[in-house]
Amino acid sequence: MKLYACSNCNRSLYFENSVCLNCKHPVGFDSKQLTMITLQSQNNTAEFSAVKTKSKYKYCLNKQYGNCNWLVPVESTADYCEACKLNRTIPPLTNPQNQPLWNKIEIAKHRLVYSLLRLGLPVEKKINNNDTGIAFDFLAELSPEEKIMTGHDNGVITLNINEADDAERARHKLDLGERYRTLLGHFRHEIGHYYWDALIRNTDLLSSFRSIFGDESMDYAEALNRYYHSEPNPDWQNDFISVYATAHPWEDWAETWAHYMHIMDTLETAYFFGMGLNTIEPAKDSIKTAITKDPYTVTDFNILFNMWVPLTFAVNNLNRSMGHSDFYPFVISEPVVKKLSFIHDVCKVNRDVK
């Protein structure tokens, strides 16, 4: 994530801010320019003009719920921004418990869409049952017997809103023996399935995918059944980013895709903070790195990987100093680096084509 500042007073802004906490000017995110815009109101109307450019904007309709600060050009007939237009179903707000859960979901979803736009990937709204496009269904369980399963199906990403409940998510994490489970992680995993369909299926890249991830034509349901009813190979870390990635090549792709997005977004944040590492009392394996490049401009994934490893080692140590578990509790083997590099190249080709 980039760092943003109010163009009126130059104070730093969080990505989710809708007002500068210093000068009180309204602010919002322009998804076309990928930047925060400082605004001024227009005669007590719903229209705003940019302080610098005087361009006219209106807020996404979901601002009324306090979970969106994205902007829409005032001349547009659209009511919703590029992120919120993808919503097909939101939880019923007649239940007051649903609103705070939906708010958390929207924060994660907006960060997801930001990263997709930075990667130059196609972000389209699904129309009816078209084969292309993305639709989000955020669903609440109506009874204990009607379980909502988080997943992806032909561009439709379903999310059980209980995943936004920190206690529930922690329980699922423990029950499934996972090292990492966040709302943003869910979004990144499930959107990975969508982009496999969009970028790999029925393309010239399919044979390369199979040589790296395996043959996805194996029976998916049977593979998942085998995964859930057998012990994983104790050496799974030699070839996979997570134990769930061992279930099927599609899940290997989605898990690796999620980690690729973790890496890109975190390195972008570190770059805009000007972060670097240089241990004061270097051991044999001195920890050094200078994150001097915006990761979205780097063509060689190995350069990014060489920044990522020392950064995660340092932040893991910071987390331990605060009594927390590791920030990034994963080991990335050479085969996984190859998979991540493949994804990086796929995304780069897509940007170049555009």
Side-chain angles (χ1 to χ4, degrees), residues 2 31 37 85 107 121 187 199 214 229 246 263 265 267 277 306 323 340:
K2 292 181 181 178
S31 61
I37 305 291
K85 75 178 184 181
I107 288 171
L121 295 170
F187 276 118
L199 304 177
H229 292 91
T246 68
I263 291 169
D265 194 31
L267 283 178
L277 301 171
N306 289 335
L340 289 163

Side-chain angles (χ1 to χ4, degrees), residues 82-245:
E82 290 298 302
C84 290
K85 75 178 184 181
L86 306 176
N87 291 356
R88 191 171 72 171
T89 309
I90 65 169
L93 301 182
T94 50
N95 182 343
Q97 295 180 341
N98 290 343
Q99 177 75 59
L101 298 179
W102 182 41
N103 288 351
K104 291 181 180 180
I105 288 167
E106 287 297 332
I107 288 171
K109 187 201 73 184
H110 280 70
R111 284 182 171 257
L112 169 80
V113 175
Y114 166 86
S115 294
L116 298 176
L117 294 172
R118 278 240 66 195
L119 285 167
L121 295 170
V123 179
E124 304 169 7
K125 176 183 178 181
K126 191 175 187 66
I127 306 296
N128 299 322
N129 291 316
N130 288 0
D131 288 337
T132 60
I134 302 165
F136 291 109
D137 287 344
F138 304 136
L139 304 180
E141 292 180 351
L142 301 179
S143 71
E145 293 75 32
E146 298 180 34
K147 294 293 184 184
I148 303 296
M149 300 300 294
T150 294
H152 167 268
D153 183 17
N154 192 32
V156 178
I157 293 173
T158 302
L159 183 74
N160 186 330
I161 67 166
N162 284 339
E163 283 293 340
D165 183 309
D166 294 339
E168 280 289 305
R169 193 171 61 255
R171 183 174 64 81
H172 290 316
K173 177 182 175 182
L174 292 173
D175 288 346
L176 297 172
E178 296 178 340
R179 299 181 177 190
Y180 178 89
R181 189 181 183 97
T182 65
L183 276 175
L184 188 51
H186 277 316
F187 276 118
R188 287 171 172 167
H189 174 98
E190 300 303 341
I191 207 71
H193 287 298
Y194 171 74
Y195 284 108
W196 188 88
D197 289 340
L199 304 177
I200 304 298
R201 186 193 296 273
N202 300 326
T203 73
D204 294 340
L205 293 170
L206 185 57
S207 60
S208 296
F209 166 85
R210 287 175 173 170
S211 71
I212 297 171
F213 289 86
D215 186 355
E216 85 295 342
S217 66
M218 70 171 69
D219 189 278
Y220 180 70
E222 182 181 317
L224 284 189
N225 183 63
R226 185 167 57 250
Y227 169 79
Y228 283 116
H229 292 91
S230 61
E231 291 294 321
N233 185 324
D235 298 326
W236 63 265
Q237 284 188 326
N238 292 340
D239 297 289
F240 300 93
I241 192 65
S242 71
V243 68
Y244 188 52

Side-chain angles (χ1 to χ4, degrees), residues 14-61:
Y14 281 105
F15 181 62
E16 291 78 17
N17 281 150
S18 59
V19 64
C20 173
L21 297 179
N22 182 57
C23 70
K24 310 305 179 186
H25 268 65
V27 297
F29 183 73
D30 181 342
S31 61
K32 299 299 182 186
Q33 300 182 65
L34 294 176
T35 191
M36 293 287 282
I37 305 291
T38 302
L39 305 164
Q40 53 191 11
S41 59
Q42 295 290 294
N43 301 320
N44 295 319
T45 68
E47 296 182 8
F48 297 82
S49 63
V51 167
K52 278 194 170 181
T53 65
K54 306 306 178 185
S55 298
K56 301 292 194 298
Y57 295 96
K58 57 186 176 181
Y59 279 104
C60 171
L61 197 59

